[in-house]
Amino acid sequence: MSVRYQRKQYWNEPTMNWWEKAYLPEVLRGLFITTGVFLRNMGKWVTGRRGAVTTYYPEERRPDFAPRNRGKHVLTQRPDGSVQCIACNMCATVCPAKVIEIEPGFDANDPAHPKYPVRFEIDYSRCVFCGMCVEACPEDAIRMAPDVPNLVSDDRYNMWLTMDEMMTWRPQADVAKPYPPKPTLPVLPLVRDARGAHGVAGGVPSKH
Amino acid sequence: MSENRPEKILEFFIDGHPVTAKDGQTVIQAAREHGFDVPHFCWHPQLSVPGNCRICMVEVESDNGDPWFDIGCNMPVTAGMRVLLNSDTVKKLRKDTMQFITLNHPVDCGICSKSGECTLQDYHYEHNGAASLSRDRKNHATKFYPLSDRIMLDNERCIMCTRCVRFTHEVSKTHALGAVYRGDHSLIRPAEDANFNDDVYSDNVIDICPVGALLSRENIDNSRVWYTEPTASVCPGCERGCNISIWHRRQAWAFKALDPKLNTRIERVTPRENPDVNGPWVCNKARDLAKILERPRAEQPMIAGRVVDRADAIAAAAALLAGAKKVVALVSSWGSNEELAAFQLTIAASLGDRLTAWVKADHQPVPGEVIEDDILIKADKNPNRHGALALFPPLPAEGLTAIPADADVVLVWGEGVPAAALPQGAQVIRLDAWAHADNEVAAVFLPISIQTERAGHYTNFAGVVSDFAACFTPAPLVTHAETLFGMLLSAEVGVRRASA
């Protein structure tokens, strides 16, 4: 029994008329379109008007990123300027691209913040800018800023952003996202006080 | 229970399943034997029963419908008792107990070294799952109190289960720890008339601590637990051959920007329970294995101190062996059973009568080290002396002077043999893993792998064989001794054929 080979039929199979099947006129039409765009752009460029939007990176940098673009990580700081990060590695653990590497340090003399990052590095050649690190951080220590790091290199191993580059952001100067004030512990009434107050207010004598 | 009376077997019920227990067993012991999990903090299979954490609360049904609640760790099994481990009341009691235990716990899991393997964390998700109901402020206690040169105590995380105190009283018998003050002010503190530094088993309290209160000062915050994985291994510290787990960074989490040495570092060592060898304990020497194994390595084959290709070094060693009339081999007592067998089947078989092979001690006790005790530590500081002695005789009592003056080749496998102690006229072939000045004066030096780079078995002093697996990849020119003996044999046979 001979096997019959048949082209698979697709639902969006192109239907061409005779003119399109003739091939050459359509090719010429395509060339005409491209040439037209090229000449129009060149005409604008020669006369000094805005033509094709080509940015000559890295000499030029685009000024027109979307206002909600978040292209750079920043490490927030405590009011004394030390890094807010506690090196808990939640960001590194949640990161889907596994680009965050933290070397922790330990300081027993600071019982409130015994753990801190000695090195904090992000591989921008693999970062997917998903913002999960920001979401996972329990200390609001990592945020993403409307900025783009200027990492120009022909080697992906040079595209690690180090801690000093991520600590350039001063929270005090940022009016859009102010640094949260130092939390003060709310003075809560003790349980037995609350119970007693309820007893008095309700006019019901306590059972105890 | 007297010895001559036959052991009484009791039948009872756990969650409706009929199970058996030996007379005198507690509910938690019998339940664990039959695969039922009873949560516990203060109870430890190897320690006495203090019954202070109350998390192992179980329900005992009674015929008159009035159930009885008690802690499973301290309740002996009686015949026909009907135990419920997961009734609604038991669940509620556990939840309340968890609320109470975490009353003053700081919940700083984010920076706690125990996070990821913490019993309190696990039980919180399993049995509580709710935020603290307390409206009072948490008590603050001392952070990072040094219990000894090795151990740090975080009193805020401590739940006062007193496992560590009982460990020093019942297992290591140093009585070095105690509990002071009462209620929520109670603290674990070193005893005044003992020194926790003298406890050579002190690091076990880090493992048995159910929370992150006891921390190793050496390994604190090295790495989060979930970035590391254990590899089964054997401690080479003495001939006990304690079964251990060597923790190292997972391949999936290998650092790319930070120091690559962090990827092949021993993060910590924990005991691997083996009732025939070490039970659940190891001594502090096993914890410090990195200090022995991570010494500077020898990674280049050498001929008289000159770095050469491996093939050239093997050819030179084979030529020496083929031309020798009397060869003395000093066999390593750190070699695995596989390596020793390979040595016997290749070099020893090929050289025949020309070879005298003696088992030497690679390591001697270092000054200040505990030589021997009646818990774990044995006097011989080599892991596989027993296995080696099964194949080769020991080095005679007079030591290295026993090497005959007319020996023309001495093959030294492993450490512990200084070049100056060897006869002047003999050519030395040295196989070693670590960098020594003696490596350069040997006629031929070949680098070999260490225990963390290969798999094998050690036979301990009692004849129990324990296995170890490879954690790391050796450097390119470092060869496993097992492979090296095969290469030496084929080269040596080649030399002899060519000369014949």
Side-chain angles (χ1 to χ4, degrees), chain B residues 150 203 218 269 283-293:
Chain B
R150 304 176 60 88
D203 280 23
E218 183 80 24
V269 174
C283 74
N284 288 352
K285 190 179 182 184
R287 312 279 177 169
D288 293 339
L289 216 51
K291 285 180 189 151
I292 298 175
L293 296 178

Short mmCIF file of all heavy atoms in Angstrom, two decimals, chain B residues 150 203 218 269 283-293:
data_model
loop_
_atom_site.label_atom_id
_atom_site.label_comp_id
_atom_site.label_asym_id
_atom_site.label_seq_id
_atom_site.Cartn_x
_atom_site.Cartn_y
_atom_site.Cartn_z
N ARG B 150 32.19 28.13 71.19
CA ARG B 150 31.60 27.57 69.98
C ARG B 150 30.12 27.88 69.84
O ARG B 150 29.60 27.91 68.74
CB ARG B 150 31.78 26.05 69.96
CG ARG B 150 33.21 25.59 70.10
CD ARG B 150 33.27 24.09 70.17
NE ARG B 150 32.72 23.49 68.99
CZ ARG B 150 33.40 23.22 67.89
NH1 ARG B 150 34.69 23.48 67.85
NH2 ARG B 150 32.82 22.68 66.84
N ASP B 203 28.51 20.73 70.36
CA ASP B 203 27.78 21.18 69.17
C ASP B 203 26.51 20.38 68.90
O ASP B 203 25.67 20.79 68.11
CB ASP B 203 28.68 21.14 67.94
CG ASP B 203 29.58 22.36 67.88
OD1 ASP B 203 29.81 22.95 68.96
OD2 ASP B 203 30.06 22.70 66.79
N GLU B 218 30.77 29.53 64.72
CA GLU B 218 31.60 29.36 63.53
C GLU B 218 30.76 29.53 62.25
O GLU B 218 31.13 30.24 61.33
CB GLU B 218 32.22 27.96 63.57
CG GLU B 218 33.17 27.65 62.44
CD GLU B 218 34.53 28.24 62.67
OE1 GLU B 218 34.91 28.50 63.83
OE2 GLU B 218 35.23 28.46 61.68
N VAL B 269 28.53 20.35 59.42
CA VAL B 269 28.50 18.90 59.51
C VAL B 269 27.48 18.53 60.57
O VAL B 269 27.47 19.11 61.66
CB VAL B 269 29.89 18.35 59.87
CG1 VAL B 269 29.83 16.86 60.11
CG2 VAL B 269 30.89 18.67 58.78
N CYS B 283 31.13 14.15 67.82
CA CYS B 283 31.89 15.07 68.66
C CYS B 283 32.25 16.32 67.87
O CYS B 283 32.00 16.42 66.67
CB CYS B 283 33.14 14.40 69.22
SG CYS B 283 34.45 14.19 68.01
N ASN B 284 32.84 17.30 68.54
CA ASN B 284 33.12 18.58 67.90
C ASN B 284 34.16 18.47 66.80
O ASN B 284 34.23 19.33 65.93
CB ASN B 284 33.59 19.59 68.95
CG ASN B 284 32.46 20.04 69.84
OD1 ASN B 284 31.31 19.71 69.58
ND2 ASN B 284 32.78 20.77 70.87
N LYS B 285 34.99 17.43 66.84
CA LYS B 285 36.00 17.28 65.79
C LYS B 285 35.32 17.07 64.44
O LYS B 285 35.78 17.58 63.42
CB LYS B 285 36.92 16.10 66.11
CG LYS B 285 38.13 16.04 65.20
CD LYS B 285 39.06 14.88 65.54
CE LYS B 285 40.28 14.91 64.63
NZ LYS B 285 41.14 13.78 64.87
N ALA B 286 34.21 16.33 64.44
CA ALA B 286 33.47 16.13 63.19
C ALA B 286 32.91 17.45 62.69
O ALA B 286 32.87 17.70 61.49
CB ALA B 286 32.36 15.12 63.40
N ARG B 287 32.48 18.32 63.61
CA ARG B 287 31.93 19.61 63.19
C ARG B 287 33.00 20.47 62.55
O ARG B 287 32.71 21.33 61.73
CB ARG B 287 31.36 20.35 64.40
CG ARG B 287 30.47 19.53 65.28
CD ARG B 287 29.09 19.44 64.75
NE ARG B 287 28.27 18.59 65.57
CZ ARG B 287 26.95 18.49 65.46
NH1 ARG B 287 26.33 19.16 64.52
NH2 ARG B 287 26.27 17.70 66.23
N ASP B 288 34.24 20.26 63.00
CA ASP B 288 35.34 21.06 62.48
C ASP B 288 36.06 20.37 61.32
O ASP B 288 37.22 20.65 61.05
CB ASP B 288 36.35 21.34 63.59
CG ASP B 288 35.77 22.24 64.66
OD1 ASP B 288 34.79 22.94 64.34
OD2 ASP B 288 36.29 22.26 65.78
N LEU B 289 35.35 19.49 60.64
CA LEU B 289 35.97 18.73 59.56
C LEU B 289 36.55 19.64 58.48
O LEU B 289 37.56 19.31 57.85
CB LEU B 289 34.91 17.82 58.95
CG LEU B 289 35.39 16.47 58.48
CD1 LEU B 289 36.17 15.78 59.57
CD2 LEU B 289 34.21 15.64 58.06
N ALA B 290 35.91 20.80 58.29
CA ALA B 290 36.40 21.73 57.27
C ALA B 290 37.83 22.12 57.55
O ALA B 290 38.63 22.32 56.63
CB ALA B 290 35.51 22.96 57.23
N LYS B 291 38.20 22.20 58.84
CA LYS B 291 39.58 22.60 59.18
C LYS B 291 40.57 21.53 58.73
O LYS B 291 41.72 21.83 58.43
CB LYS B 291 39.70 22.84 60.68
CG LYS B 291 39.07 24.14 61.08
CD LYS B 291 39.18 24.38 62.57
CE LYS B 291 38.33 25.59 62.95
NZ LYS B 291 37.84 25.51 64.31
N ILE B 292 40.15 20.27 58.72
CA ILE B 292 41.04 19.19 58.27
C ILE B 292 41.00 19.09 56.74
O ILE B 292 42.03 19.04 56.08
CB ILE B 292 40.62 17.85 58.90
CG1 ILE B 292 40.72 17.91 60.42
CG2 ILE B 292 41.46 16.72 58.35
CD1 ILE B 292 40.21 16.66 61.11
N LEU B 293 39.79 19.09 56.19
CA LEU B 293 39.66 18.79 54.76
C LEU B 293 39.94 20.00 53.87
O LEU B 293 40.32 19.84 52.72
CB LEU B 293 38.25 18.26 54.47
CG LEU B 293 37.91 16.93 55.12
CD1 LEU B 293 36.49 16.52 54.80
CD2 LEU B 293 38.87 15.84 54.69
#
